[in-house]
């Protein structure tokens, strides 16, 4: 076992360079946490998207080389920088145009971009003669790096363990097959993947990785079932021994009620009563009347069918006679935006809808709302429940994926941290909301739930240690699945 584990971390996006979603959070945090707490040598490699502010970083060119393609070699340029002690490489070339968004809606276009990126990242390390002990790719975009190494014998990487991080299974990259083929990555027609998946990048990564790590232990189990398996559950069951889950962490410096500059009043577990000031300020800000006996619910979410926000209006109607208020912050699907606006029109004295992305308001909502509603249909990990607990805002969530892994139900556990419900239905959600409204009437009990949540450790440091245990195990037992 090497003294210092060398890991190449590949992702389509990484905060703060460029962040579109949760993957950006992970890629921006986990490599640094690994280096800081486990003495690893992790290097991050991302595409040099147009959205990345060149002048904000001290970038220097480290290599130029060509990537073979059936229509002629494509030139790649690699730039390097250090960010908070993390070595970062950015790759540019014609498939990564400066005027294109990070993701388009065309998997063929994105497949060309990200396969080029994945292969260029591997080639770059060869040029730099930096030989990783492990390649940690993420989601469909960088899965081609893993497939490439297992479908062609490559002496430089012969000892590297291949790990694929899975943050959202339904995004398989279907339609990108011809783009992979252009770079010489042929469909796996003799594999046990279903025929429709044999040329899609994520399934190919799932087929060829030494190990698959999902964004929570719960999600790792769920993807083996027809309900969550995106048509791949039978295949994934055949790889069940190679599937596990590790939770994502949250940035505990950014999300800290004791120092958060956006709050009216900072607080910690010993000064929980200060939340009252934040609640008052939040209600004033959105124009709702304060009433100490009303529980204030919040939703902070992408408005996407995945998040189950469509279950909320009917659930609230069912508990209309109970004392609650609700603030919704979200944007996304037009139909869901409309239904949220309608809910505000239906309950003008109780509901406010902020249809936008507003990071500042989100901080104030975590600090001022009493409970956060998270009725997700599926949730690979979920960050909002962890942030909410850190802020003493009690989660009311569907028992799925990472939500179930991180929230202890108040009626099932002495040390409960929230309220869980089972089925993705308004009735089931209403049942959990009722339990929350009733619990809120007993303030000492409610305070105990808040404190139990605030005591949880959701820091990246904790999860980085779990990743290092996995890295070491894979390096020790590494034997490539050579497909050829
Ligand atoms: P996902 O990545 O699936 O959207 P997560 O729970 O993992 O869901 O992370 C969502 C993150 O985005 C959280 O930090 C949450 O506070 C933030 N967020 C979601 N919607 C909004 C919004 N409309 N305004 C501000 N922040 C938002």
């Amino acid at each position: 076992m090497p003294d210092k584990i060398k890991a190449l971390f590949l992702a389509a996006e990484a905060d703060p360079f460029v962040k579109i979603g949760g993957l950006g959070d992970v890629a921006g945090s986990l490599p640094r946490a690994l280096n800081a707490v486990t003495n690893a040598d992790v290097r991050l490699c991302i595409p040099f998207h147009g959205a990345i502010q060149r002048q904000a970083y001290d970038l220097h060119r480290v290599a130029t080389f060509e990537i073979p393609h059936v229509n002629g070699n494509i030139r790649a340029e690699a730039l390097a920088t250090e960010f908070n002690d993390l070595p970062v490489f950015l790759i540019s070339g014609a498939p990564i145009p400066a005027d294109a968004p990070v993701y388009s809606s065309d998997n063929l276009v994105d497949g060309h971009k990200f396969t080029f990126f994945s292969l260029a990242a591997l080639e770059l390390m060869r040029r730099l003669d930096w030989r990783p002990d492990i390649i940690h790719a993420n989601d469909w975009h960088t899965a081609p790096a893993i497939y490439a190494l297992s479908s062609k014998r490559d002496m430089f990487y012969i000892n590297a363990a291949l790990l694929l991080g899975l943050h959202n299974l339904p995004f398989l990259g279907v339609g990108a097959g011809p783009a992979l083929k252009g770079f010489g990555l042929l469909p796996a027609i003799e594999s046990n993947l279903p025929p429709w998946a044999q040329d899609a990048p994520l399934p190919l990564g799932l087929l060829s990785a030494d190990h698959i790590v999902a964004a929570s232990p719960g999600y790792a189990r769920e993807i083996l079932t027809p309900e969550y398996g995106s048509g791949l559950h039978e295949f994934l069951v055949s790889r069940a021994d190679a599937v596990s889950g590790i939770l994502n962490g949250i940035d505990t410096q950014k999300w800290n009620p004791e120092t958060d500059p956006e709050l009216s009043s900072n607080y910690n577990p010993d000064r929980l009563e200060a939340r009252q000031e934040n609640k008052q300020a939040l209600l004033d800000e959105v124009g709702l009347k304060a009433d100490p006996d009303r529980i204030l619910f919040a939703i902070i979410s992408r408005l996407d069918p995945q998040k189950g926000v469509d279950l909320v209006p009917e659930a609230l109607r069912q508990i209309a006679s109970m004392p609650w208020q609700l603030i919704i912050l979200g944007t996304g699907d037009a139909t869901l935006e409309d239904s949220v606006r309608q809910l505000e029109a239906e309950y003008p004295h109780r509901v406010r809808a902020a249809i936008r992305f507003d990071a500042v308001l989100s901080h104030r909502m975590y600090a001022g709302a009493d409970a956060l509603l998270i009725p997700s249909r599926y949730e690979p990990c979920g960050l909002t429940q962890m942030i909410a607990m850190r802020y003493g805002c009690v989660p009311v969530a569907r028992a799925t994926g990472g939500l179930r892994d991180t929230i202890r139900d108040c009626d099932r556990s002495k040390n409960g941290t929230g309220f869980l419900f089972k089925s993705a239905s308004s009735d089931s959600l209403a049942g959990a909301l009722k339990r929350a409204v009733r619990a809120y009437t007993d303030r000492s009990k409610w305070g105990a739930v808040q404190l139990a949540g605030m005591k949880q450790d959701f820091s990246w440091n904790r999860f980085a240690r779990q990743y290092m245990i996995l890295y070491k195990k894979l390096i020790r037992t590494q034997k490539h699945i050579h497909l050829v």
Side-chain angles (χ1 to χ4, degrees):
M1 183 68 58
D3 285 351
K4 218 175 170 64
I5 303 286
K6 289 194 278 184
L8 175 62
F9 197 96
L10 303 177
E13 52 172 294
D15 191 37
F17 296 93
V18 58
K19 180 188 144 172
I20 307 293
L23 174 62
D25 282 318
V26 176
S29 306
L30 175 57
R32 261 196 295 148
L34 277 162
N35 285 353
V37 301
T38 71
N39 185 37
D41 178 6
V42 183
R43 301 187 174 191
L44 170 68
C45 196
I46 57 172
F48 194 2
H49 299 289
I52 296 174
Q53 309 244 299
R54 190 183 195 113
Q55 62 287 1
Y57 307 99
D58 180 18
L59 296 173
H60 57 278
R61 193 165 77 186
V62 285
T64 54
F65 48 87
E66 299 206 328
I67 298 298
H69 188 271
V70 284
N71 296 336
N73 289 356
I74 306 177
R75 194 178 132 90
E77 181 178 75
L79 303 164
T81 189
E82 284 233 339
F83 189 78
N84 288 341
D85 295 332
L86 175 73
V88 182
F89 297 92
L90 299 106
I91 287 184
S92 65
I96 309 169
D99 57 355
V102 173
Y103 306 111
S104 75
S105 51
D106 185 339
N107 279 354
L108 189 57
V109 171
D110 288 0
H112 183 64
K113 174 196 288 192
F114 291 117
T115 306
F116 167 77
F117 165 72
S118 301
L119 298 179
L122 296 179
E123 181 59 26
L124 173 62
M125 297 307 134
R126 198 193 318 272
R127 301 272 157 160
L128 300 177
D129 198 24
W130 189 78
R131 206 182 283 260
D133 302 302
I134 186 159
I135 312 277
H136 185 163
N138 291 279
D139 284 350
W140 78 260
H141 324 97
T142 49
I146 292 200
Y147 185 53
L149 291 181
S150 76
S151 55
K152 291 187 184 129
R153 203 166 282 269
D154 182 326
M155 291 318 288
F156 185 78
Y157 287 105
I158 200 76
N159 291 319
L162 304 177
L163 176 63
L164 181 61
L166 191 57
H167 306 275
N168 207 335
L169 179 64
F171 293 83
L172 300 165
V174 169
L180 272 68
K181 207 169 173 184
F183 288 100
L185 300 179
L186 303 178
I189 45 176
E190 290 186 5
S191 69
N192 64 337
L193 282 170
W196 60 266
Q198 289 175 346
D199 69 345
L202 187 69
L204 291 172
L206 297 170
L207 174 72
S208 46
D210 295 323
H211 194 86
I212 297 152
V213 62
S216 65
Y219 194 56
R221 284 188 299 276
E222 286 172 351
I223 59 172
L224 307 181
T225 66
E227 187 184 351
Y228 295 95
S230 296
L232 293 177
H233 61 280
E234 281 178 13
F235 164 76
L236 284 164
V237 167
S238 76
R239 295 231 57 203
D241 289 348
V243 180
S244 65
I246 298 177
L247 285 164
N248 294 331
I250 55 172
D251 181 337
T252 46
Q253 279 181 353
K254 173 175 159 187
W255 297 110
N256 184 354
E258 210 163 359
T259 53
D260 191 330
E262 310 299 350
L263 310 193
S264 300
S265 182
N266 288 109
Y267 59 95
N268 59 29
D270 297 328
R271 245 177 56 79
L272 252 190
E273 62 287 354
R275 287 190 100 257
Q276 204 47 45
E277 275 175 56
N278 292 302
K279 181 172 178 179
Q280 178 70 54
L282 175 63
L283 290 169
D284 288 348
E285 185 176 343
V286 300
L288 283 176
K289 226 164 121 195
D291 175 347
D293 293 328
R294 270 179 202 280
I295 186 169
L296 176 58
F297 293 134
I299 293 175
I300 303 169
S301 178
R302 283 186 294 119
L303 297 181
D304 180 283
Q306 176 201 339
K307 299 292 180 179
V309 177
D310 53 302
L311 307 176
V312 172
E314 177 51 31
L316 289 176
R317 278 178 208 121
Q318 289 187 23
I319 60 159
S321 62
M322 297 181 108
W324 54 261
Q325 294 169 302
L326 167 69
I327 305 173
I328 304 169
L329 172 61
T331 151
D333 184 284
T335 317
L336 287 171
E337 289 185 353
D338 276 350
S339 76
V340 160
R341 281 196 198 94
Q342 271 168 26
L343 189 67
E344 184 184 52
E346 196 177 331
Y347 296 102
H349 302 300
R350 294 209 210 184
V351 175
R352 283 294 174 273
I355 309 289
R356 58 179 189 269
F357 190 94
D358 187 337
V360 172
L361 180 58
S362 78
H363 282 249
R364 294 183 184 153
M365 287 172 68
Y366 288 118
D370 297 302
L372 188 76
L373 274 48
I374 320 167
S376 302
R377 291 205 159 74
Y378 74 96
E379 197 61 78
C381 176
L383 298 177
T384 58
Q385 81 279 15
M386 298 193 242
I387 302 169
M389 282 186 263
R390 186 154 163 81
Y391 277 66
C393 178
V394 174
V396 179
R398 173 133 188 270
T400 184
L403 296 171
R404 186 174 21 207
D405 288 342
T406 50
I407 301 167
R408 291 194 301 264
D409 186 88
C410 283
D411 290 343
R412 286 167 170 261
S413 159
K414 256 192 183 165
N415 245 332
T417 56
F419 298 86
L420 291 170
F421 62 97
K422 251 195 161 151
S423 73
S425 70
S426 296
D427 288 355
S428 194
L429 169 59
L433 291 176
K434 270 184 215 158
R435 289 198 288 135
V437 177
R438 287 197 196 106
Y440 188 69
T441 58
D442 179 345
R443 289 309 153 81
S444 73
K445 184 175 168 202
W446 188 262
V449 179
Q450 289 178 298
L451 287 178
M454 291 178 89
K455 279 195 194 135
Q456 305 296 304
D457 175 8
F458 294 124
S459 69
W460 267 112
N461 289 359
R462 172 180 160 204
F463 303 119
R465 285 192 193 94
Q466 296 181 11
Y467 267 101
M468 184 44 68
I469 291 169
L470 176 63
Y471 280 10
K472 285 188 172 160
K473 183 175 143 209
L474 294 177
I475 292 165
R476 230 181 5 251
T477 57
Q478 185 281 132
K479 50 178 182 327
H480 276 278
I481 301 170
H482 280 291
L483 301 172
V484 289

